[in-house]
Amino acid sequence: MHTPGDDTLPVDAGAVDSEDSRVEVYVTTDTSAAPHKAEEPRLYVMYDAADPDGDKLYFTEAEWEAFVLGVRDGEFDLDESGNLP
């Protein structure tokens, strides 16, 4: 939660905790939607399944592995105020 004097921007809890929103990931060899990663053999695509035509994040295999390791290591865990430590 954002408190006065806090230097971080508030997170829209509705966007994060919405029951209508859910993150899904799939693997593809079609790199046409991410031409800057066209040389990659496959991409991991993260998107909001409630809005499949919305924005997508494209990860190379190395980027995905680093992301997953960061999640496992607690890199993205929020503190009791809802902020990244």
Side-chain angles (χ1 to χ4, degrees):
M1 204 65 170
H2 188 263
T3 56
D6 191 351
D7 291 338
T8 61
L9 294 175
V11 174
D12 179 359
V16 175
D17 296 329
S18 172
E19 292 180 21
D20 295 332
S21 180
R22 66 184 188 279
V23 174
E24 292 194 9
V25 176
Y26 65 90
V27 179
T28 183
T29 57
D30 179 5
T31 60
S32 62
H36 59 292
K37 297 183 179 191
E39 299 298 319
E40 295 295 324
R42 77 189 72 174
L43 296 175
Y44 291 78
V45 185
M46 182 184 292
Y47 70 102
D48 181 354
D51 183 17
D53 294 326
D55 293 335
K56 294 176 174 57
L57 298 174
Y58 295 88
F59 296 87
T60 65
E61 287 186 85
E63 291 168 337
W64 184 253
E65 183 177 326
F67 173 73
V68 169
L69 289 173
V71 169
R72 288 182 182 157
D73 195 35
E75 184 177 336
F76 306 104
D77 291 352
L78 303 177
D79 65 16
E80 59 279 348
S81 299
N83 299 308
L84 286 172

